Amino acid sequence: MNGPVTNTAVLDPAVLACHDLLVRLAGRLPDELLWRLRDWLAADGYAALGHTLPRALLRHRVGLTDNEQEMLQASVGQWGGRQRLIDAVLPLAAPEEPDVDFDPLTDSSAGQDVIDLVVVAVARGHAGTVEIRRTWRLDAHRAQRVVLAHCTERQPTLTGTLQRVLRAHGDRTPSVEVLSPKLGLPAYHRLALLASMPLWQASHVRDAAPVAS
Amino acid sequence: MSELSAVGPVPPHEVLLWLAGRIDDDLLAWTRELIAVGEDDQAVELITATLIADRVSLPPMLRDWVVERSSSLNLEPAADDALPPAADDAPLHIFVAELADGLGATNGAAATLSERLRAALAGVAERHLRAGSWWLTWRLTPAGAAPGPLPHPVILVELGPDAGTSAEVVAYQVADAVQRSGLTASVEVFVAGAALPEYHRSALREARGEAPAAPYKDAPAAPAQEPVSADLDADADAGSLASGPAGAQHRLQEPSKAGPTEPSAPDDEEAGETANVDSESWSDEWVTGEWSESPGGAQLAGLSDTERALLAQLQEELTAREAEARPKRANGGSSPKRPGVAEPPGLAG
């Protein structure tokens, strides 16, 4: 189902802006809230996002860079978000270095587990999926599975689908990072990718270059 | 607008009881925690957004409550416009008293998990549950648009009339204790005698270990079971929904009288029989509405007569509409920072 990597999917610019912003909020908003915001985006719950996202940023004192503020305005600003709340979000001069640690935990898990297999089985059927990787974020008292996917089409939909798959398998706060651009990745995702293991690559990519790990 | 104002005083915890099974269990637990610590506004905000995003249809009175509270918070968009139209259909949920191997667990894992949950509850019961009872049951059906794994354990807690803590606080504290034990379970707390949604009645039917041959208010008062405190005897006489013979029921004595109390072991044989309850006998109560009972007095102690009447109206209407809708549905039951981030491997592109 995966053809050459082309950005042919037509996604509402507001939806894509919101998706990119929610990707960049990984590690900055609480997991239990962020996955819900992404789920609402996947379910076309724009009205809910328009109200909740600005308040969440304000409540958790999350600042946005100018670029991220534009994403917020381009999405939530179109979906009924109150302009006063959007304008009140704290400014951020430059992206902050995330205080997180990732580990593929390949020694203990001896490769892929059954949830990895389910994730791949679902994601490879989504048009535009190029590669899937997995890592673990080491929090204070637990390890959080983080799925990284490179996808060029309908990224919010793939995010929502994989989140619900992970929820059904017991991950209460699924962390699914569906990335489109290779360049300009937030530091959080660059750290995650460095400590990730490959789960699957599209054939046209696998044939073109060896899998890096 | 008068109708919206009328349902305003209904306590949020009551509304969350009616939302059980309609939204996912994690959101339910989260909003209960928010309400317990006084963050009602954020709870309403999350509930409203989820109901809108997931297009959850609610019974009219429940929908009116959400609209009224959202409006009072100046939430946008206007919930009345964004929520789906009211509908009386309630999600149909299936519960079992005990898990059998093969039903979400193998090689005795189900029994082990049940025992771990009971042990976790035993550890917190003395502190958090005063003169109350609790039951463990398992839900086999998903709740919400992004449900967690199944079967899902549901702990039902009935507070006696002398409980010194509000239901939402008990729900929060017990849920936290369970979570600290490394387990996941929903905690539903209600006051003895309160009218309950079908969700809880179904759960209690399985957890009790007997078929509801007659309305609970007419059930015999706890024959042939472990000793019951005087307070709970009084509950039974008053028509406690959860009173009467119990399979997996655990009763607690007043801490001041007896000190720490071990929960009684479940009667596995009796509990096992609950899986064969005649479904036709359930329908009668649905149709006749005999399950509808007026709210318990203890739960309403802080409300005015007008608020009590309005709460009773809400509960009775929801119960009646669920009962009417029943025949239409199918049976079924920190680490160091990494300096200088290098070019990551992949993603291909």
Side-chain angles (χ1 to χ4, degrees), chain A residues 51 99 101 131 150 167 172, chain B residues 24 26 74 76 146 334-335 348:
Chain A
H51 164 70
D99 189 11
D101 195 18
E131 183 177 4
H150 178 188
R167 289 263 307 162
R172 301 174 68 186
Chain B
D24 68 83
D26 291 323
N74 289 321
E76 64 283 346
S334 183
S335 57

Side-chain angles (χ1 to χ4, degrees), chain B residues 73-94:
Chain B
L73 296 175
N74 289 321
L75 298 188
E76 64 283 346
D80 200 18
D81 297 331
L83 283 170
D88 289 328
D89 288 344
L92 185 62
H93 287 290
I94 302 171

Side-chain angles (χ1 to χ4, degrees), chain B:
Chain B
M1 194 64 195
S2 59
E3 186 178 6
L4 301 181
S5 302
V7 299
V10 177
H13 178 77
E14 285 292 311
V15 174
L16 291 183
L17 282 177
W18 290 88
L19 287 174
R22 299 176 186 270
I23 59 178
D24 68 83
D25 301 296
D26 291 323
L27 179 62
L28 202 58
W30 188 6
T31 51
R32 279 182 174 139
E33 175 179 340
L34 289 170
I35 289 170
V37 301
E39 299 285 352
D40 294 31
D41 291 357
Q42 189 181 355
V44 172
E45 176 187 323
L46 281 168
I47 289 170
T48 304
T50 299
L51 294 172
I52 292 172
D54 294 340
R55 301 171 183 82
V56 178
S57 295
L58 298 174
M61 292 295 284
L62 198 52
R63 187 182 187 278
D64 289 348
W65 185 94
V66 174
V67 170
E68 190 275 336
R69 288 299 300 265
S70 300
S71 177
S72 69
L73 296 175
N74 289 321
L75 298 188
E76 64 283 346
D80 200 18
D81 297 331
L83 283 170
D88 289 328
D89 288 344
L92 185 62
H93 287 290
I94 302 171
F95 297 87
V96 293
E98 297 287 343
L99 283 184
D101 279 352
L103 194 65
T106 56
N107 299 326
T112 301
L113 187 54
S114 295
E115 288 308 310
R116 286 182 61 200
L117 279 166
R118 291 187 174 104
L121 261 293
V124 301
E126 178 62 23
R127 175 179 176 184
H128 299 302
L129 310 179
R130 297 177 57 197
S133 307
W134 61 270
W135 299 258
L136 172 63
T137 185
W138 297 83
R139 197 186 67 225
L140 305 181
T141 44
L150 298 173
H152 179 74
V154 178
I155 296 167
L156 301 153
V157 178
E158 183 190 61
L159 296 180
D162 294 333
T165 311
S166 62
E168 60 264 33
V169 171
V170 172
Y172 163 50
Q173 293 181 337
V174 173
D176 179 74
V178 171
Q179 189 173 357
R180 286 175 183 272
S181 300
L183 302 169
T184 299
S186 292
V187 181
E188 301 289 328
V189 182
F190 48 89
V191 176
L196 294 177
E198 173 56 26
Y199 179 89
H200 301 81
R201 297 199 302 269
S202 295
L204 280 168
R205 276 195 289 267
E206 292 306 319
R208 280 162 44 89
E210 69 167 7
Y216 278 97
K217 59 184 179 183
D218 296 328
Q225 65 173 17
E226 63 266 42
V228 178
S229 68
D231 290 332
L232 294 170
D233 277 335
D235 291 346
D237 292 338
S240 168
L241 181 61
S243 60
Q249 180 181 8
H250 301 261
R251 290 184 174 274
L252 305 172
Q253 295 177 332
E254 284 282 358
S256 59
K257 299 175 183 175
T261 306
E262 288 292 330
S264 59
D267 186 335
D268 291 335
E269 182 179 351
E270 188 173 347
E273 292 174 358
T274 63
N276 297 320
V277 170
D278 179 7
S279 60
E280 290 187 1
S281 67
W282 297 9
S283 303
D284 294 335
E285 285 81 19
W286 280 96
V287 173
T288 60
E290 289 180 314
W291 291 102
S292 300
E293 294 180 314
S294 58
Q299 194 169 18
L300 306 179
L303 301 180
S304 66
D305 292 339
T306 302
E307 290 169 338
R308 293 183 191 202
L310 293 171
L311 176 58
Q313 178 187 350
L314 170 63
Q315 291 173 325
E316 288 174 4
E317 180 169 341
L318 288 171
T319 302
R321 294 187 179 199
E322 283 191 354
E324 291 172 1
R326 165 78 173 184
K328 301 174 185 176
R329 295 190 297 271
N331 289 331
S334 183
S335 57
K337 295 179 181 177
R338 290 174 184 254
V341 179
E343 185 69 16
L347 299 169

Side-chain angles (χ1 to χ4, degrees), chain A:
Chain A
M1 294 201 53
N2 296 283
V5 180
T6 55
N7 286 290
T8 56
V10 177
L11 199 60
D12 185 322
V15 174
L16 186 57
C18 189
H19 172 81
D20 286 346
L21 178 58
L22 293 178
V23 167
R24 283 159 176 75
L25 290 175
R28 297 159 68 184
L29 279 178
D31 289 347
E32 60 265 28
L33 176 61
L34 186 58
W35 84 262
R36 289 189 184 279
L37 297 173
R38 292 173 174 178
D39 189 68
W40 296 345
L41 182 64
D44 301 338
Y46 309 135
L49 274 165
H51 164 70
T52 307
L53 181 51
R55 287 180 184 260
L57 295 170
L58 294 170
R59 184 174 286 123
H60 295 280
R61 301 180 67 83
V62 175
L64 297 183
T65 64
D66 290 348
N67 188 30
E68 291 167 343
Q69 180 71 25
E70 290 176 4
M71 295 176 184
L72 182 67
Q73 185 67 54
S75 53
V76 168
Q78 311 300 314
W79 298 336
R82 187 177 295 181
Q83 191 61 45
R84 182 175 65 81
L85 298 180
I86 295 174
D87 293 340
V89 174
L90 296 171
L92 196 61
E96 295 177 333
E97 189 75 13
D99 189 11
V100 293
D101 195 18
F102 295 96
D103 193 316
L105 297 180
T106 50
D107 293 341
S108 58
S109 62
Q112 302 182 19
D113 60 17
V114 65
I115 298 178
D116 291 333
L117 298 177
V118 174
V119 166
V120 169
V122 172
R124 66 186 300 170
H126 182 93
T129 304
V130 178
E131 183 177 4
I132 306 165
R133 306 179 71 91
R134 187 259 297 148
T135 186
W136 294 86
R137 193 187 66 217
L138 306 182
D139 297 341
H141 300 294
R142 63 169 191 149
Q144 170 66 49
R145 178 191 301 269
V146 178
V147 174
L148 301 156
H150 178 188
C151 180
T152 61
E153 298 183 28
R154 297 187 302 122
Q155 295 92 341
T157 302
L158 180 60
T159 303
T161 301
L162 293 183
Q163 284 190 157
R164 293 188 179 194
V165 166
L166 291 169
R167 289 263 307 162
H169 283 80
D171 188 345
R172 301 174 68 186
T173 56
S175 295
V176 179
E177 309 299 325
V178 178
L179 312 167
S180 184
K182 181 179 180 181
L183 300 176
L185 285 176
Y188 178 95
H189 300 86
R190 294 168 71 86
L191 289 170
L193 283 170
L194 277 171
S196 66
M197 64 174 290
L199 299 182
W200 177 85
Q201 269 192 337
S203 57
H204 66 277
V205 175
R206 190 171 59 244
D207 295 341
V211 176
S213 60

